[in-house]
Amino acid sequence: MKRGFKLDLKNIPLLPGKIHFIRIVDSNGNVSVLNESFHVGVEYIGEYIWATIDIGLQLLTILYNDEEMIVHEIIRYNYKID
């Protein structure tokens, strides 16, 4: 980083793209992504899921890989980014 360079942490631009998270489903069937809770279903308790935020579409998609490594989309949420 250049000397004298300052980054305004309150004004960081977000560009279209995707952010991926791997989370474990809690005992209530929820996962936490960026300090927000999302319900995915009690059938996934104790399982790991893959959550993807699409910044351009402002969409959170939650996916699950089963034992045969087949990817299943569980649910989508609108995810407004200010």
Side-chain angles (χ1 to χ4, degrees):
M1 188 178 292
K2 287 185 177 182
R3 195 172 264 185
F5 176 81
K6 292 186 180 187
L7 182 63
D8 182 2
L9 296 177
K10 295 179 183 174
N11 192 24
I12 298 175
L14 289 175
L15 303 174
K18 294 181 180 179
I19 304 170
H20 302 279
F21 303 88
I22 296 174
R23 296 289 187 261
I24 193 165
V25 180
D26 71 15
S27 61
N28 295 315
N30 299 317
V31 293
S32 177
V33 176
L34 298 176
N35 295 323
E36 292 185 63
S37 184
F38 298 92
H39 189 72
V40 297
V42 295
E43 61 270 30
Y44 298 101
I45 291 173
E47 298 287 343
Y48 285 92
I49 59 85
W50 182 354
T52 300
I53 297 174
D54 187 316
I55 295 171
L57 297 176
Q58 298 204 6
L59 189 67
L60 171 68
T61 305
I62 299 179
L63 306 160
Y64 172 71
N65 284 353
D66 67 15
E67 294 82 21
E68 285 120 27
M69 298 306 291
I70 298 171
V71 178
H72 303 274
E73 183 177 310
I74 299 173
I75 195 164
R76 288 183 180 199
Y77 289 98
N78 290 324
Y79 193 81
K80 183 163 172 55
I81 300 169
D82 295 328

